[in-house]
Amino acid sequence: MKNKEIVPGVFSVGVVDWNMRNFHGHTYATKRGTSYNSYLVVDDKIALVDTVYGPFSKELIENIRRIVPLDKISYVVANHVETDHSGALPEIMKLCPKAIVLGTSKCKEGLYKNYYGTWDFKEVKTGDSISLGKKTLSFIEAPMIHWPDSMFTYLPEEELLMPNDAFGQHLASCYLFADEVDPCQLWDEAAKYYANILWPLGGLIAKKISEVQKLNIPIKVIAPSHGLIWRKDPMEIVKKYLSWANNEVKQKGVVVYETMWGATEKMARSISMGMVEAGLEVKVFDVNQSDRTEVVKEMLDSKFFVFGSSTHDNSMLPSMAGFLEFVRGLSPKNRSAYAFGSYGWAGGAVRDIEKVITASGMSLAKPGLGIRYVPDENETKACFAFGQDLAAGK
Ligand code: FEO
C-alpha cells in the first residue's frame, strides 16, 4: 500500500491485515479485518509512532524505507505494549539501534517482559514533550484505556492526536480516512470496537476525555492505531465515545437465548413480540447461531437485556453460560435485565441467569419467567405480556 502524508510531515506507514478474523484470541470476530497503524513524523529529527503486529514487520520496514533510511529514526514512540502495536519493535530496533524508545513507566516494564530488549528507553508522562525541530511530540498518559501502559501522543503543530487503540475500528480498507469509506460500515465497526473492547472502561474513558478537554488542545485529526483516520469532524467520534461511556441507551431491547428443543425459543419469540408491541426496537439472537461480537454491539445502546435458557442439569445451557460470563466482564450499567426459560421438572436456568444479572451490576427489574415444558396458549400469552410489561417498566 502506498504511503500517504496524513498531515504535513506525518506519513502513514502501517499495514492492513485483510485476513484477521479472530482478534484477542477468539474474543472478537473481526469479519472485516483490521489494520495496524503506524505513523512516521519527519522533521529535523524523525520519530516513528507505534509499530505493527510482528508478522508484518518487513512490510512496515519497507514502508518506512520508501521515505527515510531507518537509521535516521531518533525516537520510536510506544503508546501501548500490546503486541499488535509493538510486535515489530525488535526488528525495527535492530535497524535503528541508536533510537530511543519513548513510553510510560508501565510501558517500559511491559516491553521488557515481552521482548527482553536492552533498548535505550526514556520514560515520559503527561505534560512531557520532545522537540523534533519544528514539530513537537507531546504525551498524555491514558492508563487502562485500555492497558496500564497506554498513552496518547499529540503533535500540536498539526493538531494531530495519535491515541493508539482509542477511537479505532477493526476495518481493513485500501483507504486511510474515515470520510472515504461507507459510513454505515465505519460506525458499525466503531461501535463494535467500543462494545467489545472498551465497554467496561467507560468511567475512565469519560474522565480521560474530560481531562483532555481541559487541556484545551485543538484537535484537527485523530489518527488511531486501528482502522480509519478521523479528519472530517473528528469530534464526532469523541462525542460518540462520551455517549457510550455515559451509558446513554435507547428504548431498545436485545433478547438472547439458548434452546434445547425449541420451547425456550418459542418463549423468546413471544416475549420479543410483546416488547415490539409495547414500542421497543428489538433484536433477537439464538446464542448458538449468532456472532457474539455482533450481539454485544447491539447491546451497547440497548436499555433492556432479556436472557433465556432451557434448564439442563439444574442450570442454564453451556453456550448461554459462556455468553453471560462475557457480559459479566462488561459490567453493564444503567440496564434492566430479565430472565426466562423452559424447564421439565426442577428448573434452575432462570435462577442462575438471575444470579449472573445481579452479580454483573445490571438491575434485575422483574422476577424471571419459567414455563414447564412447552408453553400452551395461555402461557404463550403470558410470555407476550411479560415482554409488554418489561417494556413498560412493570
Ligand atoms: Fe490494538 Fe490494545 O491493542
Side-chain angles (χ1 to χ4, degrees), residues 124-130 136-141 152 215:
V124 290
K125 53 187 187 321
T126 300
D128 288 351
S129 59
I130 286 190
T136 315
L137 299 172
S138 301
F139 306 102
I140 302 165
E141 291 162 279
F152 301 167
L215 293 175

Side-chain angles (χ1 to χ4, degrees), residues 23-24 36 80-85 146-147 150 164-165 170 193 197 225-226:
F23 201 79
H24 279 164
Y36 314 109
H80 180 27
V81 167
E82 198 165 6
T83 194
D84 50 332
H85 309 293
H146 68 127
W147 278 20
S150 298
N164 194 264
D165 275 331
H170 285 311
Y193 185 97
I197 297 181
S225 60
H226 295 291

Side-chain angles (χ1 to χ4, degrees), residues 226-360:
H226 295 291
L228 287 302
I229 298 168
W230 308 92
R231 68 175 170 187
K232 191 176 166 191
D233 192 6
M235 287 304 118
E236 208 181 345
I237 184 68
V238 178
K239 280 185 217 144
K240 204 69 193 162
Y241 264 49
L242 269 179
S243 141
W244 290 326
N246 290 327
N247 292 292
E248 289 173 14
V249 288
K250 54 183 182 180
Q251 288 298 99
K252 176 177 166 187
V254 173
V255 180
V256 190
Y257 67 92
E258 181 169 17
T259 194
M260 213 159 81
W261 291 110
T264 296
E265 179 170 63
K266 207 171 167 197
M267 291 180 73
R269 294 185 70 84
S270 300
I271 291 169
S272 61
M273 282 183 230
M275 291 163 71
V276 172
E277 181 72 15
L280 296 189
E281 176 189 342
V282 177
K283 295 273 170 106
V284 183
F285 298 96
D286 173 341
V287 77
N288 284 320
Q289 309 299 329
S290 308
D291 167 3
R292 187 189 60 218
T293 305
E294 181 71 25
V295 179
V296 168
K297 182 210 75 184
E298 290 296 340
M299 291 167 71
L300 181 62
D301 60 357
S302 300
K303 170 76 182 163
F304 304 94
F305 299 164
V306 191
F307 304 122
S309 173
S310 322
T311 290
H312 181 270
D313 289 342
N314 303 315
S315 188
M316 68 184 104
L317 288 163
S319 297
M320 197 61 203
F323 175 79
L324 287 178
E325 181 58 20
F326 192 84
V327 172
R328 191 190 57 74
L330 300 174
S331 325
K333 309 277 185 308
N334 189 30
R335 266 57 175 206
S336 302
Y338 310 83
F340 69 95
S342 154
Y343 65 95
W345 45 101
V350 168
R351 174 201 63 213
D352 288 351
I353 292 172
E354 288 182 342
K355 276 187 196 163
V356 181
I357 289 173
T358 308
S360 307

Side-chain angles (χ1 to χ4, degrees), residues 4-13 38-50 64 67-68 72-77 79 102 130-139 153-158 160 162 223:
K4 259 197 184 162
E5 197 169 12
I6 61 162
V7 296
V10 181
F11 297 84
S12 167
V13 289
S38 169
Y39 302 103
L40 189 72
V41 186
V42 180
D43 198 4
D44 300 341
K45 287 186 175 173
I46 294 169
L48 180 67
V49 179
D50 292 319
I64 297 169
I67 303 168
V68 294
K72 298 285 181 211
I73 294 175
S74 299
Y75 299 106
V76 179
V77 178
N79 278 318
L102 304 172
I130 286 190
S131 173
L132 300 177
K134 291 174 278 306
K135 295 188 197 301
T136 315
L137 299 172
S138 301
F139 306 102
T153 298
Y154 177 66
L155 214 67
E157 294 79 7
E158 304 304 333
L160 168 68
M162 291 170 280

Side-chain angles (χ1 to χ4, degrees), residues 170-188:
H170 285 311
L171 177 55
S173 175
C174 62
Y175 300 105
L176 278 181
F177 295 101
D179 51 278
E180 296 177 300
V181 302
D182 175 352
C184 295
Q185 279 193 9
L186 174 78
W187 286 101
D188 186 64

